[in-house]
Amino acid sequence: MSDSPPIVQLNGVSKWYDSDPDRRVLDGIDLAIAPGERFAIVGPSGCGKSTLLNILGTLDQPSEGEVRVGGAALAGMKEKEIAALRSREIGFIFQLHHLLPQCTALENVLVPTLAAVGKSDAPAAAADRARSLLERVGLGDKADSRPARLSGGERQRVAVVRALINRPRLLLADEPTGALDEENAARLVELLIELNESENLALVMVTHDGDLARKLGDVRSLKGGRFAA
């Protein structure tokens, strides 16, 4: 068993808006994500699933409590330091792929390497890795295609590769299958599980689809700002 700290750890994390702590979106969440772990987060609309994912990904800060990434507390860090940490450690997939329409699949995958600090490959090596990953997800022949010439499932696979290009240790997926049909949704989840298992990549997926959530093997239900016992 590794002695390394969790990739991300939340200690007593709460979140509220409009300076009203009596209306908590999250309420005292404790959570530690270990390398290679995977689980799905489910719950009713408005229960705080996406807010929790944004805090895990350092895109948002808690109103109360502590967030640690790789053992380092975010409190007191400058935004530039947090952004660099996020770029090294965490990859994101969203319901909408957010691909740049004027760029090819390969160019879209390489966008995160332009801003990466300290962990990205040299340009030629990054391009080789991007092509290798595109091949791995069945898009080796689509590297030079622009998004308009790709199907919805293909675009979302490009988004997965983009999330992996900087070699993150944690992949956060927020309703990644929401814009896909049933067949492509199942294929995408199978791909994420395969990557989790083969690369020791921690995976946390928010979804409203109970069947897809159960494919991850560990389902955690969020309600009233807390995980169900």
Side-chain angles (χ1 to χ4, degrees), residues 182-202:
E182 185 175 348
E183 181 179 357
N184 277 310
R187 286 179 177 174
L188 180 64
V189 172
E190 288 169 4
L191 171 62
L192 295 178
I193 291 172
E194 190 273 326
L195 291 166
N196 159 256
E197 293 176 344
S198 64
E199 300 205 359
N200 199 37
L201 175 73

Side-chain angles (χ1 to χ4, degrees), residues 4-215:
S4 61
I7 302 171
V8 179
Q9 183 169 359
L10 308 185
N11 298 317
V13 161
S14 297
K15 182 70 176 181
W16 58 80
Y17 297 99
D18 300 324
S19 302
D20 186 0
D22 292 328
R23 300 180 63 182
R24 299 189 175 205
V25 180
L26 300 175
D27 188 10
I29 296 286
D30 293 319
L31 179 63
I33 302 173
E37 187 174 11
R38 74 170 183 249
F39 59 89
I41 300 173
V42 300
S45 179
C47 73
K49 299 188 301 295
S50 292
T51 298
L52 176 58
L53 214 66
N54 286 339
I55 289 176
L56 287 171
T58 75
L59 295 173
D60 196 2
Q61 299 297 316
S63 304
E64 181 178 80
E66 180 186 54
V67 180
R68 303 181 75 89
V69 178
L74 298 191
M77 280 191 186
K78 297 178 180 178
E79 179 52 41
K80 187 174 181 179
E81 295 173 317
I82 294 174
L85 192 62
R86 180 191 310 131
S87 178
R88 291 195 304 271
E89 301 287 350
I90 304 169
F92 297 88
I93 310 169
F94 301 99
Q95 179 173 336
L96 300 177
H97 51 75
H98 299 301
L99 299 182
L100 299 175
Q102 71 274 24
C103 294
T104 65
L106 178 64
E107 290 166 341
N108 269 286
V109 168
L110 290 172
V111 165
T113 69
L114 303 177
V117 178
K119 193 176 175 182
S120 62
D121 297 320
D128 287 344
R129 173 170 166 77
R131 289 186 182 279
S132 176
L133 287 169
L134 286 169
E135 187 73 38
R136 185 171 179 177
V137 303
L139 295 176
D141 61 340
K142 304 286 188 178
D144 297 323
S145 298
R146 289 183 170 81
R149 299 185 65 86
L150 301 175
S151 69
E154 287 171 338
R155 290 176 207 156
Q156 198 64 315
R157 278 183 277 159
V158 172
V160 171
V161 173
R162 180 181 58 190
L164 296 174
I165 191 63
N166 282 340
R167 305 178 189 272
R169 295 198 297 152
L170 170 62
L171 187 61
L172 300 175
D174 192 359
E175 299 282 6
T177 64
L180 302 178
D181 59 42
E182 185 175 348
E183 181 179 357
N184 277 310
R187 286 179 177 174
L188 180 64
V189 172
E190 288 169 4
L191 171 62
L192 295 178
I193 291 172
E194 190 273 326
L195 291 166
N196 159 256
E197 293 176 344
S198 64
E199 300 205 359
N200 199 37
L201 175 73
L203 169 64
V204 178
M205 182 176 74
V206 161
T207 180
H208 66 278
D209 189 319
D211 290 336
L212 291 179
R214 284 186 286 274
K215 288 180 180 291

